[in-house]
Amino acid sequence: MEAELSAKVDKLIDEFMAIVDATTEERHLQRGISRSQLPCSMVAILDKESLSILAQFRLENRTASYFYKPDIALTPQQAANSAQWEFGFEDAFIIQFPAKLVAQSNQERHAALQKVASEHIDSEFLRLEKMLSLVRARPIFGKAVSPVGARTLLLLLPQEANLRGNENAIINASRANNLPIVEAEDIRGGRSAVREMWDSLNHAAVIIADLTGADGGVMYGLGIAHTLGKETILIHPQGSKYLTDIPRTYRIEYEDSDAGRAKLEEQLSLMLGTMLAPAVED
């Protein structure tokens, strides 16, 4: 983005934040309930329809990046995906403005900015309420180790050899993305194996679970993954019934044949491509 245009974006953000601060005070809310009031790293993407602000709270090493993409139109979900997969924001918040506001004067866009600010504060307040209502857990596995390096694509596969017919199809489909592939430990290995699985689940960006045979280790790992709120892909035999309405969970049903596994590989590759594809190129 050229300097002149990025300066206009900064001016709009400054006006927006002044409204957020004033509205927060008017509502007698604690400053910082809206994460936009905290130190953040930020990515601004101006496309043909919207100015999307992708941001995450960060005390140190804060960055600000600007992109001008007049040939695309990011939906809120695409912006959120880009924040996570492309820019590494694990707990991002997204604010979108109509693109036309960038060229308008302060007076012309004030009402529109007030509306976006009010919606942003409402959303952040509801997020805080939800967080405070969550059950506080103390995992028996201990505190998760902070990830070092890139996040992974974690495979939960059955341990019995006669149940691993999908292994090659799953691995081949997984290799098309840019995340390292890791297979979860067999929890029958004891306490250290369970701890390894716990760390792997925390480190994973996406988890693929092969439910063939309802392997105990796969089900154990899947339960933890859902508790952690991880995105999961469930692979199960044709005709079986597994978790049809769980949030952040995707399903692929396969036929137990060579042709069925070839189709499974194709479907999984396409699904991963959609989930992991960046919305914005450098």
Side-chain angles (χ1 to χ4, degrees), residues 68 91 125 149 151 192 202 249 255 265 272:
Y68 180 46
D91 186 28
F125 184 77
R151 288 190 172 272
S192 63
N202 277 278
T249 300
E255 178 186 311
E265 181 177 332
L272 288 170

Side-chain angles (χ1 to χ4, degrees), residues 67 72 155 196 200 226 250:
F67 297 89
I72 65 172
L155 309 183
E196 286 290 330
S200 296
H226 284 163
Y250 308 86

Side-chain angles (χ1 to χ4, degrees), residues 7-26:
K8 291 182 178 180
V9 170
D10 284 339
K11 189 172 186 298
L12 181 147
I13 294 173
D14 288 344
E15 293 171 17
F16 171 77
M17 287 310 307
I19 295 172
V20 169
D21 291 343
T23 305
T24 298
E25 188 173 344
E26 287 170 7

Side-chain angles (χ1 to χ4, degrees), residues 150-154 177-182:
R151 288 190 172 272
T152 61
L153 183 63
L154 182 65
N177 68 83
N178 294 322
L179 295 179
I181 301 170
V182 175

Side-chain angles (χ1 to χ4, degrees), residues 55 61 79-80 171 216 218 223:
N61 302 319
I171 291 175
V218 172

